[in-house]
Amino acid sequence: MPVVLQVANLVKSFGSLTAVNDVSFEIRQGSCFGLLGPNGAGKTTTIEMMEGIKTPDSGTIRYQGKPLGERFRNEAGIMFQTTALQEHIKVREIMLQFSRFYPDSASIDELASQFALHDFLHQDTRKLSGGQKQRLLLAMAQINKPKILFLDEPTTGLDPQSRRNLWKEVQKIKEEGATVLLTTHYMEEAYELCDEIAIMDHGRIIAHDAPDALLAAHFDDVVVQLHAADIPRDIGEREFHATYRNDSAHIVTGDVNKTIEHLLQFDIPLDRLRIRARDLEDLFLELTGKELRA
Amino acid sequence: MLNRIYALFVARNLEFFRDRSALAWSILLPILIIFVFAFAFTDDNPEKFKVALVKTAGLEGATARFRQTRFIRFIEYDEAETNLHKVERHQIDLLFDPNSRRYWINQTSPNGYIVEKLLVAAFADSGESLQQNLVEGDEIRYIDWVIPGVIGMNIMWGALFGIGYVIVRYRKFGVLKRLRATPVTAMEFLSAQILSRLWLLVLVNTVIFIAMDYFVDFRMLGSYINLFLVFTLGCINMICCGLVVAARISSEEVANGILNLFSWPMMFLSGVWFSLEGAHPLMQKFALLLPLTHITDAAREIMIDGAGILQVSDHLLVLGVSSVILLVVGARIFQWE
Ligand SMILES: Nc1ncnc2c1ncn2[C@@H]1O[C@H](COP(=O)(O)OP(=O)(O)OP(=O)(O)O)[C@@H](O)[C@H]1O
Ligand SMILES: [Mg+2]
């Protein structure tokens, strides 16, 4: 698949802070590219430079081989992490307004049913709940039938149904040949949707590949997971290098048999033991060394 | 392009009409002001007597004596002929030329009658003879005089804040950022804001004008079309001022401060409430720099003196040229963020 969007050596500083530091990658047509990273990693700054909202200090951004221009504006669908809308405007009216900005736009009624906006179509945009507004912003990002869609944390604040609904939408968009760039803090979401992910920290990309390839490259071990109450913290940390998260203890091991024998030596009950493959969340934590925001 | 301007225009109008309290306020305030002036202050200016003297080499004798009369405000003119209309309009009570010892008064003015007696008394022992000249003309009530100013002022507030403040808020809360992510250009956005504000100002002030006409039967000698032209150009000029202020600022407080810095001096130094006649020459010069002065003066000349378009063309020229300059500057320095 051809490259749609290409960024090379992007740098952006705010005062003495280098928010984005020499970032380069390419996005292929019809793929979904995920940008992951802890808070303040530089995801939003990167994506907003790619949207043409922020100007990079240096580096290049090319859409279809050319610098961002009118064609990009017409073909890009954009959803910011936070957005304000004009006041005293109803949901339907704002959609109508935005549809008039584009030469070719989607039907408002179709978008409304796609994103379940019918219940509040005639409500003032300031009176929407967080999730309702999020759904409206998503619909607005698609009002121009975009060929490339930028979604900055699109599912933050959505209920599980809406989240799954969005996943379906993104799959559909991809099938239709459009390209998606998204940031998310949900590893499950990234794994589900993205063909390629890049993990950012402190303004740099520290890992970049297909999710499974990343997992394969970084891990040849599995996680033995126990209920935290079953394995005292001192034993867990001393003998097994376990990490405790919420009420479970995670032991990373390359040899499950040996670990279980070891656990039995300490009379640890194994009733609630689970073995799972390492996932993106493990990778993320290993690479960035920080807890994720839920 | 027109589609996009139209879409933004509609949205801005909706915002305006749905913001009920602001809408009511922008219409009611000026009417209220006029109402108060019409019924509470039926009196003229606070200075009881105003006498204009034509400049002479030095004041001496009887003229100097007359000049010392207390509670009369003396104003100096370069010559008599061009200022006679002020006597006609009762703006000054008596005009005296010490060189020729001619004076002019309005037959129908009680103040003129009294001041004439004082003048004659001052010259009684001097042996010099005075020559009386009578002029005629209706008194201009303060209300007739102040209405053009009040409408001008209302245009100023509506335009400066309706453009300046609104765009700054759009920027601060990220509305501009969202628009920037669409094909809308800065020029399209600004055009829509200008057009929307212009049409709303014209509408609101027409309503106010009609309402005032209903309350107080004010003087309107000139043509309505010319008056409309003056006020519309005034709207455009003030909108362009607001545009320059709003071009870059993203803090409401700063914008508010700057807009107030523009509007309050205009409010009091443009001759909206009191005539700048007799004010310090520097202040008169300064007033000419304020667009509100030109709007108010032109409107007064049309309404009170029945001036035609050519007679107010100097004001129109100033307003027109400065609008173009402000518009270009505003659009040039405009930034989305
Ligand atoms: N306009 C700005 N001025 C100054 N610093 C900024 C600005 N925007 C972002 N930053 C800083 O740049 C860094 C990167 O911010 P960015 O918004 O890109 O992070 P992010 O990865 O999107 O984080 P999050 O997951 O919280 O959304 C942060 O340290 C932030 O404080
Ligand atoms: Mg962000």
Side-chain angles (χ1 to χ4, degrees):
Chain A
M1 279 291 183
V3 171
V4 183
L5 195 61
Q6 181 191 36
V7 305
N9 312 105
L10 278 193
V11 177
K12 177 80 183 177
S13 305
F14 299 107
S16 62
L17 174 90
T18 309
V20 175
N21 193 351
D22 196 20
V23 163
S24 307
F25 58 87
E26 292 176 343
I27 305 179
R28 290 175 188 288
Q29 188 179 341
S31 73
C32 175
F33 191 99
L35 211 47
L36 312 183
N39 291 140
K43 305 179 296 295
T44 298
T45 310
T46 304
I47 203 171
E48 287 187 354
M49 285 191 284
M50 299 173 71
E51 293 159 348
I53 299 294
K54 286 198 169 85
T55 3
D57 295 341
S58 65
T60 54
I61 301 162
R62 293 183 157 265
Y63 176 67
Q64 305 282 17
K66 295 193 193 67
L68 304 183
E70 195 182 332
R71 170 167 180 203
F72 175 78
R73 291 259 156 274
N74 282 326
E75 294 182 354
I78 291 176
M79 178 181 176
F80 293 124
Q81 189 170 354
T82 51
T83 302
L85 302 169
Q86 283 122 307
E87 294 181 356
H88 302 284
I89 301 279
K90 294 177 179 156
V91 170
R92 204 195 145 76
E93 291 163 353
I94 195 120
M95 292 179 74
L96 187 64
Q97 180 192 202
F98 273 73
S99 72
R100 285 183 176 139
F101 291 161
Y102 296 94
D104 181 25
S105 52
S107 133
I108 291 173
D109 289 320
E110 269 171 36
L111 282 178
S113 36
Q114 215 172 332
F115 292 96
L117 308 178
H118 277 299
D119 290 344
F120 48 90
L121 212 46
H122 298 286
Q123 204 157 314
D124 191 314
T125 54
R126 285 175 305 174
K127 291 180 185 146
L128 300 179
S129 79
Q132 288 172 338
K133 185 171 176 198
Q134 199 75 349
R135 266 147 56 194
L136 167 62
L137 294 174
L138 258 168
M140 282 167 58
Q142 293 190 45
I143 208 139
N144 57 331
K145 306 188 200 160
K147 294 207 167 61
I148 181 158
L149 192 57
F150 296 87
L151 304 173
D152 197 355
E153 296 193 28
T155 56
T156 301
L158 290 187
D159 58 29
Q161 290 93 322
S162 305
R163 174 168 305 159
R164 255 150 251 275
N165 183 40
L166 175 98
W167 292 1
K168 267 201 318 230
E169 288 301 327
V170 171
Q171 299 288 12
K172 214 171 86 192
I173 289 166
K174 277 165 54 179
E175 279 159 26
E176 287 164 5
T179 312
V180 180
L181 171 61
L182 73 85
T183 75
T184 180
H185 288 297
Y186 301 106
M187 294 303 129
E188 187 194 358
E189 182 168 295
Y191 191 78
E192 187 91 6
L193 295 179
C194 297
D195 304 298
E196 250 183 88
I197 59 174
I199 297 180
M200 281 189 85
D201 199 10
H202 301 299
R204 289 178 183 278
I205 291 184
I206 51 176
H208 172 193
D209 211 332
D212 283 323
L214 275 180
L215 292 176
H218 283 85
F219 299 128
D220 51 6
D221 43 20
V222 294
V223 179
V224 172
Q225 195 175 327
L226 290 151
H227 201 277
D230 294 341
I231 173 163
R233 225 183 155 105
D234 56 331
I235 296 179
E237 283 172 355
R238 191 183 63 228
E239 297 291 330
F240 299 92
H241 306 289
T243 49
Y244 285 77
R245 249 185 262 162
N246 300 328
D247 45 6
S248 57
H250 302 244
I251 300 166
V252 176
T253 173
D255 187 339
V256 180
N257 289 21
K258 223 164 111 190
T259 304
I260 290 178
E261 270 172 36
H262 199 177
L263 283 169
L264 287 171
Q265 283 171 16
F266 285 90
D267 283 333
I268 308 285
L270 302 183
D271 305 332
R272 290 190 271 190
L273 176 140
R274 278 170 48 203
I275 295 174
R276 61 171 178 83
R278 300 266 258 156
D279 60 18
L280 273 182
E281 187 143 339
D282 298 309
L283 177 67
F284 186 94
L285 292 176
E286 188 145 315
L287 290 177
T288 62
K290 292 176 192 165
E291 271 296 331
L292 254 189
R293 194 181 64 166
Chain B
M1 183 185 107
L2 287 181
N3 243 342
R4 294 196 280 266
I5 294 179
Y6 176 70
L8 289 162
F9 177 84
V10 170
R12 182 71 198 103
N13 287 358
L14 284 176
E15 258 186 298
F16 180 83
F17 284 117
R18 288 196 185 141
D19 193 355
R20 287 288 153 77
S21 50
L23 176 65
W25 193 234
S26 69
I27 294 182
L28 286 181
L29 182 68
I31 294 180
L32 219 67
I33 291 176
I34 288 307
F35 204 72
V36 168
F37 277 122
F39 294 96
F41 298 95
T42 36
D43 198 0
D44 206 337
N45 271 331
E47 285 94 3
K48 261 287 161 234
F49 303 106
K50 271 195 201 165
V51 169
L53 298 175
V54 176
K55 278 203 180 110
T56 52
L59 283 183
E60 52 196 25
T63 309
R65 220 163 26 245
F66 178 56
R67 182 75 171 74
Q68 273 156 16
T69 318
R70 290 168 65 196
F71 303 116
I72 293 184
R73 178 127 166 256
F74 287 95
I75 304 163
E76 281 205 340
Y77 288 145
D78 288 329
E79 53 171 4
E81 276 67 27
T82 48
N83 292 297
L84 286 183
H85 66 279
K86 287 172 185 152
V87 185
E88 291 167 11
R89 299 269 172 275
H90 300 228
Q91 282 162 314
I92 51 181
D93 302 313
L94 182 143
L95 175 62
F96 178 50
D97 184 351
N99 308 306
S100 62
R101 287 190 299 285
R102 294 201 298 165
Y103 68 89
W104 289 261
I105 54 165
N106 192 320
Q107 286 173 284
T108 59
S109 159
N111 279 1
Y113 176 79
I114 292 172
V115 180
E116 181 186 20
K117 290 269 176 269
L118 292 171
L119 178 68
V120 170
F123 275 82
D125 311 326
S126 68
E128 294 170 296
S129 61
L130 294 165
Q131 188 198 337
Q132 186 202 48
N133 295 274
L134 293 177
V135 299
E136 272 181 83
D138 295 336
E139 182 188 359
I140 306 290
R141 291 170 304 163
Y142 182 58
I143 192 84
D144 295 319
W145 187 83
V146 85
I147 278 181
V150 169
I151 293 187
M153 173 202 76
N154 201 46
I155 286 175
M156 173 187 77
W157 290 118
L160 283 182
F161 282 83
I163 283 281
Y165 203 58
V166 167
I167 293 181
V168 168
R169 272 177 64 92
Y170 273 6
R171 184 180 291 114
K172 176 174 174 187
F173 292 112
V175 174
L176 286 189
K177 180 176 164 186
R178 185 63 188 88
L179 292 175
R180 194 188 182 185
T182 69
V184 171
T185 64
M187 210 57 225
E188 289 165 351
F189 170 76
L190 293 177
S191 306
Q193 298 303 311
I194 294 171
L195 289 176
S196 162
R197 182 47 46 165
L198 181 60
W199 132 251
L200 293 169
L201 278 176
V202 167
L203 181 76
V204 164
N205 285 289
T206 306
V207 169
I208 291 171
F209 193 84
I210 292 169
M212 282 181 183
D213 203 18
Y214 182 78
F215 283 128
V216 279
D217 176 29
F218 57 80
R219 190 178 168 107
M220 173 61 193
L221 295 185
S223 116
Y224 281 95
I225 294 176
N226 290 347
L227 186 67
F228 186 80
L229 201 77
V230 165
F231 280 135
T232 305
L233 193 58
C235 289
I236 294 175
N237 191 278
M238 289 290 181
I239 286 172
C240 294
C241 288
L243 213 60
V244 172
V245 174
R248 279 174 183 229
I249 299 169
S250 59
S251 144
E252 272 172 295
E253 289 75 23
V254 173
N256 209 357
I258 294 184
L259 289 171
N260 279 311
L261 203 68
F262 270 102
S263 41
W264 285 102
M266 284 207 252
M267 179 91 166
F268 290 111
L269 303 181
S270 297
V272 168
W273 308 107
F274 47 85
S275 170
L276 294 176
E277 203 68 62
H280 192 279
L282 269 181
M283 191 167 129
Q284 296 194 10
K285 287 254 162 55
F286 178 72
L288 287 179
L289 295 176
L290 306 173
L292 187 54
T293 309
H294 295 281
I295 299 172
T296 309
D297 284 358
R300 274 189 191 135
E301 282 167 33
I302 291 173
M303 290 175 70
I304 298 177
D305 305 330
I309 203 76
L310 280 180
Q311 285 148 287
V312 295
S313 58
D314 50 341
H315 296 302
L316 294 182
L317 190 73
V318 171
L319 290 174
V321 170
S322 58
S323 298
V324 171
I325 294 172
L326 290 166
L327 179 65
V328 170
V329 170
R332 268 285 167 82
I333 64 173
F334 177 80
Q335 273 183 354
W336 291 101
E337 268 186 285

PDB file of all heavy atoms in Angstrom, chain B residues 16-17 85 133 138 180 207 239 285 302:
ATOM      1  N   PHE B  16     -25.955  35.256  18.211  1.00  0.00           N
ATOM      2  CA  PHE B  16     -26.345  36.596  18.638  1.00  0.00           C
ATOM      3  C   PHE B  16     -27.798  36.643  19.102  1.00  0.00           C
ATOM      4  O   PHE B  16     -28.100  37.142  20.178  1.00  0.00           O
ATOM      5  CB  PHE B  16     -26.133  37.575  17.478  1.00  0.00           C
ATOM      6  CG  PHE B  16     -26.503  38.992  17.804  1.00  0.00           C
ATOM      7  CD1 PHE B  16     -25.617  39.814  18.469  1.00  0.00           C
ATOM      8  CD2 PHE B  16     -27.735  39.498  17.445  1.00  0.00           C
ATOM      9  CE1 PHE B  16     -25.948  41.118  18.780  1.00  0.00           C
ATOM     10  CE2 PHE B  16     -28.082  40.811  17.750  1.00  0.00           C
ATOM     11  CZ  PHE B  16     -27.185  41.613  18.418  1.00  0.00           C
ATOM     12  N   PHE B  17     -28.687  36.092  18.293  1.00  0.00           N
ATOM     13  CA  PHE B  17     -30.101  36.207  18.631  1.00  0.00           C
ATOM     14  C   PHE B  17     -30.477  35.341  19.821  1.00  0.00           C
ATOM     15  O   PHE B  17     -31.428  35.619  20.533  1.00  0.00           O
ATOM     16  CB  PHE B  17     -30.976  35.850  17.431  1.00  0.00           C
ATOM     17  CG  PHE B  17     -31.025  36.954  16.412  1.00  0.00           C
ATOM     18  CD1 PHE B  17     -30.526  36.767  15.140  1.00  0.00           C
ATOM     19  CD2 PHE B  17     -31.547  38.193  16.745  1.00  0.00           C
ATOM     20  CE1 PHE B  17     -30.545  37.794  14.208  1.00  0.00           C
ATOM     21  CE2 PHE B  17     -31.573  39.226  15.831  1.00  0.00           C
ATOM     22  CZ  PHE B  17     -31.071  39.024  14.558  1.00  0.00           C
ATOM     23  N   HIS B  85     -24.191  80.398  12.275  1.00  0.00           N
ATOM     24  CA  HIS B  85     -25.212  79.346  12.441  1.00  0.00           C
ATOM     25  C   HIS B  85     -25.286  78.875  13.889  1.00  0.00           C
ATOM     26  O   HIS B  85     -26.291  78.342  14.317  1.00  0.00           O
ATOM     27  CB  HIS B  85     -24.926  78.174  11.510  1.00  0.00           C
ATOM     28  CG  HIS B  85     -23.660  77.437  11.843  1.00  0.00           C
ATOM     29  ND1 HIS B  85     -22.424  77.878  11.450  1.00  0.00           N
ATOM     30  CD2 HIS B  85     -23.457  76.313  12.564  1.00  0.00           C
ATOM     31  CE1 HIS B  85     -21.498  77.043  11.887  1.00  0.00           C
ATOM     32  NE2 HIS B  85     -22.102  76.077  12.573  1.00  0.00           N
ATOM     33  N   ASN B 133     -27.133  92.940  15.288  1.00  0.00           N
ATOM     34  CA  ASN B 133     -27.588  92.156  14.136  1.00  0.00           C
ATOM     35  C   ASN B 133     -28.453  91.018  14.647  1.00  0.00           C
ATOM     36  O   ASN B 133     -28.095  90.340  15.613  1.00  0.00           O
ATOM     37  CB  ASN B 133     -26.412  91.534  13.398  1.00  0.00           C
ATOM     38  CG  ASN B 133     -25.516  92.597  12.782  1.00  0.00           C
ATOM     39  OD1 ASN B 133     -25.742  93.061  11.685  1.00  0.00           O
ATOM     40  ND2 ASN B 133     -24.504  92.990  13.550  1.00  0.00           N
ATOM     41  N   ASP B 138     -34.447  78.091  14.930  1.00  0.00           N
ATOM     42  CA  ASP B 138     -35.015  77.341  16.052  1.00  0.00           C
ATOM     43  C   ASP B 138     -33.914  76.909  16.983  1.00  0.00           C
ATOM     44  O   ASP B 138     -32.795  76.650  16.569  1.00  0.00           O
ATOM     45  CB  ASP B 138     -35.723  76.074  15.551  1.00  0.00           C
ATOM     46  CG  ASP B 138     -36.909  76.451  14.704  1.00  0.00           C
ATOM     47  OD1 ASP B 138     -37.418  77.564  14.892  1.00  0.00           O
ATOM     48  OD2 ASP B 138     -37.288  75.625  13.850  1.00  0.00           O
ATOM     49  N   ARG B 180      -9.957  26.063  12.078  1.00  0.00           N
ATOM     50  CA  ARG B 180      -8.725  26.015  11.304  1.00  0.00           C
ATOM     51  C   ARG B 180      -8.498  24.628  10.720  1.00  0.00           C
ATOM     52  O   ARG B 180      -7.814  24.474   9.704  1.00  0.00           O
ATOM     53  CB  ARG B 180      -7.563  26.401  12.212  1.00  0.00           C
ATOM     54  CG  ARG B 180      -6.331  26.702  11.425  1.00  0.00           C
ATOM     55  CD  ARG B 180      -5.177  26.874  12.355  1.00  0.00           C
ATOM     56  NE  ARG B 180      -4.003  27.218  11.586  1.00  0.00           N
ATOM     57  CZ  ARG B 180      -2.805  27.343  12.108  1.00  0.00           C
ATOM     58  NH1 ARG B 180      -2.648  27.162  13.395  1.00  0.00           N
ATOM     59  NH2 ARG B 180      -1.790  27.644  11.360  1.00  0.00           N
ATOM     60  N   VAL B 207     -33.812  49.572  14.603  1.00  0.00           N
ATOM     61  CA  VAL B 207     -34.878  49.376  15.591  1.00  0.00           C
ATOM     62  C   VAL B 207     -34.824  50.479  16.650  1.00  0.00           C
ATOM     63  O   VAL B 207     -35.843  51.087  16.992  1.00  0.00           O
ATOM     64  CB  VAL B 207     -34.746  47.985  16.265  1.00  0.00           C
ATOM     65  CG1 VAL B 207     -35.671  47.878  17.467  1.00  0.00           C
ATOM     66  CG2 VAL B 207     -35.039  46.892  15.258  1.00  0.00           C
ATOM     67  N   ILE B 239     -16.072  48.172  13.310  1.00  0.00           N
ATOM     68  CA  ILE B 239     -15.824  46.734  13.190  1.00  0.00           C
ATOM     69  C   ILE B 239     -14.362  46.482  12.850  1.00  0.00           C
ATOM     70  O   ILE B 239     -13.713  45.607  13.422  1.00  0.00           O
ATOM     71  CB  ILE B 239     -16.746  46.122  12.109  1.00  0.00           C
ATOM     72  CG1 ILE B 239     -18.175  46.037  12.630  1.00  0.00           C
ATOM     73  CG2 ILE B 239     -16.247  44.748  11.680  1.00  0.00           C
ATOM     74  CD1 ILE B 239     -19.189  45.624  11.593  1.00  0.00           C
ATOM     75  N   LYS B 285      -8.221  68.686  18.431  1.00  0.00           N
ATOM     76  CA  LYS B 285      -7.404  67.984  17.441  1.00  0.00           C
ATOM     77  C   LYS B 285      -7.458  66.481  17.699  1.00  0.00           C
ATOM     78  O   LYS B 285      -7.616  65.668  16.800  1.00  0.00           O
ATOM     79  CB  LYS B 285      -5.941  68.451  17.533  1.00  0.00           C
ATOM     80  CG  LYS B 285      -5.713  69.840  16.997  1.00  0.00           C
ATOM     81  CD  LYS B 285      -4.997  69.778  15.636  1.00  0.00           C
ATOM     82  CE  LYS B 285      -5.141  71.086  14.877  1.00  0.00           C
ATOM     83  NZ  LYS B 285      -4.673  72.255  15.661  1.00  0.00           N
ATOM     84  N   ILE B 302     -26.265  66.031   9.290  1.00  0.00           N
ATOM     85  CA  ILE B 302     -27.392  65.594   8.473  1.00  0.00           C
ATOM     86  C   ILE B 302     -28.713  65.798   9.208  1.00  0.00           C
ATOM     87  O   ILE B 302     -29.665  66.379   8.674  1.00  0.00           O
ATOM     88  CB  ILE B 302     -27.229  64.113   8.077  1.00  0.00           C
ATOM     89  CG1 ILE B 302     -26.069  63.971   7.090  1.00  0.00           C
ATOM     90  CG2 ILE B 302     -28.520  63.579   7.477  1.00  0.00           C
ATOM     91  CD1 ILE B 302     -25.714  62.553   6.766  1.00  0.00           C
TER      92      ILE B 302
END
